[in-house]
């Protein structure tokens, strides 16, 4: 059982911790090494977000033919292959973009499946902590990326090989320890129809506002520190690692907050921490305050993921949990991708102050929209 949960931890580690957030460290390295232009490097960051949009639809189709475990294994393999594909930089840029897009599809599938593959097998009293451990993979992946990838600055090609090898290892472990417990689902035997309740609709609105609010930190942070504030690549990489430390803490401590204060109250605190993160980034260029800002954003990002997953489970129930998780990921992916293009376009026209202001307002609204949902919604389920 532990190894199954550990593989689910690796799912978030690879999907978001490495494939998505690990690339943030590579952006300035690719630009300064001359491998990619500024526009191309950011486009590769966006490619994976575009893939996120299609992940839920692909998962829905594959569920009719493959077990959830098989889909997860394929997703691990695709992410690994995407890193090796990016190593072949003599090929047209479209080649790398396409593989980053496929990695986004696979990452979306893994993020949807990480909790459903194990949470239903965990005793209810341990479920928040199991969810916290699973989603802590994001933070651990970011920490590893922040400290390890800057060392590949002089040989960026080897970074792709290294990441591909890590992904291959995760794929092998998934083959060994993900035994099939969730077989392919026949559309004719889906049980009660999936219906979006009012409370789940509010949760989705909060999710999409979170997708907008965290983007400046998680898309431009290392590049912002290196090329706008003139910090060294090592300092910027270490600062990005604070996102990982926060992310690792956020998954575990958010579960503790939920147990003592309730899911809704814990979610409110976590989202307000993300809002404070934007306020700090708006008004300070001191590295200590910036590290606090990115730490809070990391804490809030994975804390919010953990709590949102658990809230969706309570609202929609076990039967529709995969569908609910899929819809949450789809909504997050669409707004993340769309506003990634918006923020990237704004990069040459709008100051970072205004970007952090917009993201802070979005995050505050994501807190406000959940206020009508009663705390009793998440009790005795």
């Amino acid at each position: 059982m532990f190894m199954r949960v550990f593989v689910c931890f690796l799912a978030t580690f690879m999907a978001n911790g490495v494939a998505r957030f690990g690339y943030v460290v590579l952006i300035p390295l690719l630009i300064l090494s001359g491998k990619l232009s500024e526009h191309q490097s950011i486009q590769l960051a966006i490619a994976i977000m575009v893939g996120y949009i299609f992940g839920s639809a692909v998962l829905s189709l594959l569920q009719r033919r493959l077990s959830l475990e098989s889909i997860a294994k394929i997703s691990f393999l695709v992410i690994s292959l995407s890193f090796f594909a990016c190593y072949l930089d003599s090929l047209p840029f479209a080649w790398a973009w396409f593989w980053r897009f496929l990695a986004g599809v696979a990452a979306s599938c893994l993020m949807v499946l990480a909790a459903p593959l194990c949470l239903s097998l965990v005793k209810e009293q341990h479920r928040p902590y199991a969810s916290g451990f699973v989603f802590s993979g994001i933070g651990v992946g970011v920490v590893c990326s922040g400290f390890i990838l800057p060392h590949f600055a002089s040989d960026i090609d080897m970074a792709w090989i290294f990441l591909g090898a890590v992904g291959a290892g995760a794929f092998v472990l998934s083959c060994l320890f993900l035994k099939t417990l969730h077989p392919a689902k026949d559309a004719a035997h889906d049980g009660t129809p999936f219906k979006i309740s009012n409370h789940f609709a509010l949760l989705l609105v909060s999710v999409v506002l979170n997708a907008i609010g965290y983007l400046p930190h998680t898309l431009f942070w290392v590049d912002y520190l290196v090329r706008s504030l003139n910090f060294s690549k090592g300092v910027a990489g270490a600062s990005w690692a604070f996102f990982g430390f926060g992310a690792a803490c956020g998954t575990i401590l958010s579960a503790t907050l939920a147990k003592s204060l309730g899911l809704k109250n814990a979610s409110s605190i976590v989202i307000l921490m993300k809002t404070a993160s934007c306020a700090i980034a708006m008004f300070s260029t001191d590295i200590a305050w910036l590290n606090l800002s990115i730490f809070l954003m990391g804490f809030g990002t994975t804390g919010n993921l953990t709590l949102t997953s658990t809230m969706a489970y309570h609202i929609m129930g076990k039967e529709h949990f995969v569908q609910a998780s899929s819809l949450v990921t789809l909504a997050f992916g669409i707004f993340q991708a769309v506003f990634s293009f918006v923020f990237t376009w704004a990069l040459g026209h709008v100051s970072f102050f205004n970007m952090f202001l917009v993201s802070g307002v979005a995050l505050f609204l994501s807190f406000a929209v959940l206020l009508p949902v009663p705390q009793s919604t998440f009790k005795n389920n």
Side-chain angles (χ1 to χ4, degrees):
M1 179 61 188
F2 171 77
M3 287 306 299
R4 186 179 183 89
V5 175
F6 180 69
V7 170
C8 292
F9 160 88
L10 289 178
T12 65
F13 175 89
M14 291 304 305
N16 264 14
V18 177
R20 161 69 172 95
F21 293 135
Y23 181 75
V24 174
V25 182
L26 294 179
I27 290 176
L29 305 184
L30 289 165
I31 296 172
L32 294 173
S33 68
K35 292 286 185 181
L36 296 175
S37 67
E38 178 182 15
H39 175 74
Q40 288 175 325
S41 64
I42 293 177
Q43 283 301 313
L44 282 190
I46 293 175
I48 197 168
M49 301 180 197
V50 176
Y52 259 70
I53 297 174
F54 295 90
S56 296
V58 170
L59 177 61
S60 180
L61 290 174
L62 291 177
Q63 272 187 270
R64 309 299 182 191
R65 299 166 178 83
L66 298 171
S67 67
L68 297 186
E69 289 79 6
S70 294
I71 298 171
K73 293 169 189 176
I74 293 170
S75 298
F76 276 117
L77 179 60
V78 169
I79 290 175
S80 176
L81 291 176
S82 74
F83 290 126
F84 289 122
C86 288
Y87 169 77
L88 303 173
D89 56 9
S90 60
L91 295 173
F93 176 72
W95 165 265
W97 198 97
F98 174 71
W99 275 99
R100 287 286 293 171
F101 167 82
L102 289 182
V105 175
S108 177
C109 290
L110 285 179
M111 288 304 297
V112 171
L113 295 176
L117 281 175
C118 66
L119 283 194
S120 62
L121 306 175
V122 177
K123 293 181 179 179
E124 185 170 351
Q125 63 266 34
H126 301 310
R127 198 171 289 147
Y129 296 102
S131 179
F133 173 70
V134 166
F135 286 104
S136 70
I138 300 171
V140 175
V142 173
V143 171
C144 292
S145 299
F147 283 117
I148 295 174
L149 294 183
H151 293 290
F152 291 100
S154 59
D155 190 1
I156 196 68
D157 290 338
M158 290 306 299
W160 297 120
I161 298 296
F162 171 76
L163 292 172
V166 172
F171 166 67
V172 170
L173 288 176
S174 72
C175 291
L176 292 174
F177 297 109
L178 277 186
K179 296 180 180 179
T180 300
L181 299 178
H182 300 83
K185 194 173 182 181
D186 189 339
H189 300 88
D190 280 348
T192 58
F194 178 77
K195 184 180 179 181
I196 298 176
S197 67
N198 291 334
H199 292 159
F200 186 66
L202 290 175
L203 184 64
L204 285 177
V205 174
S206 180
V207 164
V208 301
L209 288 167
N210 266 275
I212 298 169
Y214 93 136
L215 278 174
H217 278 80
T218 60
L219 190 58
F220 304 123
W221 190 257
V222 176
D223 195 42
Y224 170 56
L225 265 60
V226 171
R227 297 198 302 134
S228 295
L229 301 184
N230 298 314
F231 288 105
S232 70
K233 293 186 284 290
V235 169
S239 181
W240 179 241
F242 275 92
F243 180 91
F245 289 130
C249 293
T251 52
I252 304 300
L253 294 183
S254 63
T256 303
L257 281 174
K259 190 169 185 178
S260 58
L261 301 177
L263 272 172
K264 181 187 172 181
N265 293 332
S267 178
S268 297
I269 292 171
V270 165
I271 295 174
L272 289 175
M273 289 176 68
K274 294 175 75 172
T275 308
S277 167
C278 294
I280 293 171
M282 286 168 58
F283 295 107
S284 180
T285 57
D286 180 80
I287 192 62
W289 283 103
L290 291 171
N291 286 343
L292 175 61
S293 173
I294 196 67
F295 175 86
L296 291 176
M297 184 57 71
F299 187 104
T301 296
T302 56
N304 182 252
L305 276 172
T306 303
L307 295 172
T308 297
S309 177
T310 310
M311 290 165 81
Y313 182 91
H314 279 262
I315 294 173
M316 301 306 296
K318 178 181 177 180
E319 182 181 1
H320 297 301
F321 186 36
V322 173
Q323 292 165 294
S325 295
S326 182
L327 191 54
V328 165
T329 303
L330 175 62
F332 190 93
I334 290 174
F335 279 80
Q336 177 181 233
V338 170
F339 278 85
S340 293
F341 282 109
V342 172
F343 281 124
T344 299
W345 169 84
L347 196 58
H349 307 85
V350 177
S351 68
F352 275 101
F353 177 92
N354 287 324
M355 285 193 188
F356 290 128
L357 174 61
V358 170
S359 61
V361 170
L363 288 167
F364 183 79
L365 291 174
S366 75
F367 152 75
V369 79
L370 289 178
L371 291 177
V373 182
Q375 177 69 37
S376 58
T377 303
F378 311 108
K379 293 180 180 178
N380 300 320
N381 285 288

